[in-house]
């Protein structure tokens, strides 16, 4: 079954804010795979964009467990910037 990928409405603003502080943002497409791979000051961050009330799907939670990955769930540009600057 082919999966039609839909970007969250708040993603463009979040990406723009991260790029404004010098981050490189790569959008990822795929079912249950995080939305963004972000490079900032020599570090990599894996991020899942959710709307204000959005929740992780079961497959997204499984991705983190299977890959032992830290996936930051972000809802706003401020949250994204905080992740980048505090880690």
């Amino acid at each position: 079954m082919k999966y039609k990928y839909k970007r969250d409405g708040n993603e463009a603003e979040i990406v723009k804010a991260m790029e404004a502080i010098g981050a490189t943002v790569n959008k990822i497409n795929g079912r249950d795979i995080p939305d963004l791979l972000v490079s900032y000051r020599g570090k990599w961050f894996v991020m899942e964009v959710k709307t204000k009330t959005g929740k992780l799907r079961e497959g997204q939670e499984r991705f983190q467990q299977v890959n032992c990955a830290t996936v930051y769930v972000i809802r706003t540009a401020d949250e994204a910037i905080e992740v980048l600057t505090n880690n």
Side-chain angles (χ1 to χ4, degrees):
M1 174 193 217
K2 190 170 182 173
Y3 176 68
K4 185 176 179 182
Y5 193 80
K6 179 182 152 252
R7 311 293 312 179
D8 287 296
N10 54 339
E11 185 179 287
E13 176 187 354
I14 290 169
V15 169
K16 185 177 177 180
M18 290 191 292
E19 290 175 338
I21 66 164
T24 301
V25 181
N26 300 279
K27 295 179 182 178
I28 305 170
N29 294 320
R31 184 158 182 83
D32 299 328
I33 297 173
D35 295 318
L36 306 173
L37 180 60
V38 182
S39 174
Y40 183 69
R41 295 187 175 174
K43 295 181 181 177
W44 287 98
F45 301 87
V46 180
M47 297 184 175
E48 174 64 31
V49 177
K50 289 293 181 191
T51 59
K52 185 177 180 180
T53 58
K55 297 182 181 189
L56 290 174
R57 293 187 309 275
E58 183 179 320
Q60 291 172 319
E61 290 177 354
R62 190 172 39 254
F63 176 91
Q64 292 182 62
Q65 294 166 351
V66 169
N67 293 291
C68 299
T70 299
V71 178
Y72 296 94
V73 177
I74 53 173
R75 298 173 190 286
T76 66
D78 288 340
E79 286 180 2
I81 300 302
E82 185 176 332
V83 166
L84 297 181
T85 57
N86 292 326
N87 289 289

